[in-house]
Amino acid sequence: MALYTVVLDFHGGTYISQIHASSEISALNIWKSDIRKNLLELSHEDVENLNLSLENEEVVPLSNVVNVWCSTATVNESLALINIVKTNAD
């Protein structure tokens, strides 16, 4: 499994987690399953709304870079920008 770094920019904060997963989609799904643990600073409502918003979002590869993907969500009219970076291949 590879190591992925998940970077969330939301409500003026930057939240960084690292996850071992088999793919970028798997990394995002694992991150979402532990979303409460990863985002302790956010309100319970924001965390729940973020998780719901991400259910139908795609993971899109970024142009001109390798092993970097992006996903977005909107929570209470605030943008949540998530970048997923394949940090290394174990």
Side-chain angles (χ1 to χ4, degrees), residues 7-50:
V7 181
L8 168 67
D9 288 318
F10 182 62
H11 272 274
T14 302
Y15 308 91
I16 302 171
S17 303
Q18 290 190 307
I19 297 158
H20 284 92
S22 58
S23 71
E24 67 280 359
I25 295 168
S26 208
L28 184 60
N29 287 334
I30 292 167
W31 179 82
K32 286 189 322 186
S33 72
D34 280 345
I35 200 165
R36 283 194 188 99
K37 180 179 81 172
N38 293 323
L39 302 175
L40 293 174
E41 298 87 0
L42 299 180
S43 72
H44 177 75
E45 180 182 354
D46 279 346
V47 169
E48 288 301 314
N49 289 333
L50 178 59

